[in-house]
Amino acid sequence: MNTIKKQARVAGALYLLVAVTAPLGLMVVPAQLFDLSDAALTAERIRGGETLLRLGMASELFHQAVEVFLVMALYKLFQPVNQSLARQMAWLGLIPIPIVFLNVLNEVAALMFATGPGFLNVFERPQLDALALLFVKLHGNGLQLAAVFWGLWLFPLALLAWRSGFIPKPVAVPVVAAGLGYLLGAIVSLLLPGLSGALGDLIFILMLGEPVLILWLVVFGARTVNRPDGAVPVPASI
C-alpha cells in the first residue's frame, strides 16, 4: 500500500470513529432524556437516566478528542495539495473542539440540578427542575455554536479533496452540501427557530453528504493519479 493511500485510510478510520461515537451524545441522549418544553419531565428523565447522560457526556469528550487526531491526519494528507487551504481547514476543524469540551459542563450542571445534592436544598424542586432545563438548553445552543465551525471546516476540506487528484471530484460535492447543512442548521436553531420544522428534513439530507467522504477514505483510501507533470502528490510529514 502506497504512503498516500495508507495516510488516507488512517484519516478515514479516525473520521469513522468520530462518526460512530458522536450520535450517542449528540442525538440519542437528547432524544431519550430531554423535553425542552417540560422542565419537570426532563429532570425526571435525567434522574432515571443518569447513566445514559454520563455516557453521552463521555461520548462528546471522546469523539472531540479523536477529532484532534483526525484534523492532524487530514492536514498531513492534504498539506501537499495546498498548504494555505490545509491550514484553514485545520484551524476551522480545531476551533469547535474546546467549545464542545466546555459545553459538556452545561450537562454536568443539568445533572447536578436534576439530582439535587444536599447543598441545593435551599431551592424548591420546581426551581431545580427549571435550572436543569436551562442548562440543557444552553448545552443545545452550545452545540449549535460548534456546528458553525463543523460546517465551515468542510468547505476548505471539500476544495482540497476536489484539487487533490487522489480523491474523485464528485466525492467533494456532497461535502460542500454537508457544510451548508451544518451552517443552515445552526442559523435556524439560533436565529430562526420558527423555521426548524420546515427546514429540518432538508438540513438532515444535506448533512448526509459528509459520510460520502468518510466511506471513500475508509474503503478506497486514495487513488494513484499521474498528473500532467508526472508528479504524484505525497503527503509531507509534520
Side-chain angles (χ1 to χ4, degrees), residues 160-228:
L160 286 164
W162 179 275
R163 294 183 178 181
S164 67
F166 53 80
I167 293 176
K169 283 180 168 50
V171 173
V173 177
V175 179
V176 175
L180 292 172
Y182 278 111
L183 286 177
L184 182 59
I187 291 170
V188 168
S189 179
L190 294 172
L191 304 178
L192 302 167
L195 296 178
S196 57
L199 297 178
D201 290 341
L202 172 61
I203 291 168
F204 177 75
I205 292 170
L206 289 172
M207 290 170 63
L208 290 178
E210 192 174 14
V212 174
L213 177 61
I214 298 173
L215 291 176
W216 176 270
L217 291 173
V218 170
V219 176
F220 300 104
R223 64 181 184 181
T224 301
V225 176
N226 293 322
R227 295 188 169 184

Side-chain angles (χ1 to χ4, degrees), residues 45-57:
R45 287 177 177 176
I46 290 174
R47 287 190 289 273
E50 180 176 346
T51 299
L52 178 60
L53 179 57
R54 291 188 184 277
L55 287 174
M57 290 188 286

Side-chain angles (χ1 to χ4, degrees), residues 63-216:
H63 72 72
Q64 286 303 289
V66 175
E67 186 88 10
V68 176
F69 298 97
L70 168 61
V71 172
M72 292 173 63
L74 289 172
Y75 177 79
K76 185 176 182 179
L77 178 65
F78 288 113
Q79 183 188 15
V81 177
N82 186 295
Q83 188 170 13
S84 178
L85 274 176
R87 286 176 177 169
Q88 291 177 34
M89 180 227 24
W91 279 112
L92 291 171
L94 291 172
I95 288 174
I97 295 173
I99 295 176
V100 176
F101 267 80
L102 290 172
N103 194 45
V104 170
L105 290 174
N106 285 316
E107 286 186 309
V108 173
L111 179 59
M112 290 178 61
F113 285 119
T115 55
F119 66 88
L120 292 175
N121 287 340
V122 294
F123 296 99
E124 300 292 334
R125 171 48 56 193
Q127 293 174 317
L128 292 173
D129 291 350
L131 287 169
L133 182 59
L134 170 64
F135 280 95
V136 163
K137 290 187 175 185
L138 286 175
H139 174 262
N141 288 331
L143 289 178
Q144 294 304 325
L145 291 176
V148 172
F149 295 98
W150 290 340
L152 289 175
W153 94 298
L154 291 178
F155 297 129
L157 177 58
L159 189 53
L160 286 164
W162 179 275
R163 294 183 178 181
S164 67
F166 53 80
I167 293 176
K169 283 180 168 50
V171 173
V173 177
V175 179
V176 175
L180 292 172
Y182 278 111
L183 286 177
L184 182 59
I187 291 170
V188 168
S189 179
L190 294 172
L191 304 178
L192 302 167
L195 296 178
S196 57
L199 297 178
D201 290 341
L202 172 61
I203 291 168
F204 177 75
I205 292 170
L206 289 172
M207 290 170 63
L208 290 178
E210 192 174 14
V212 174
L213 177 61
I214 298 173
L215 291 176
W216 176 270

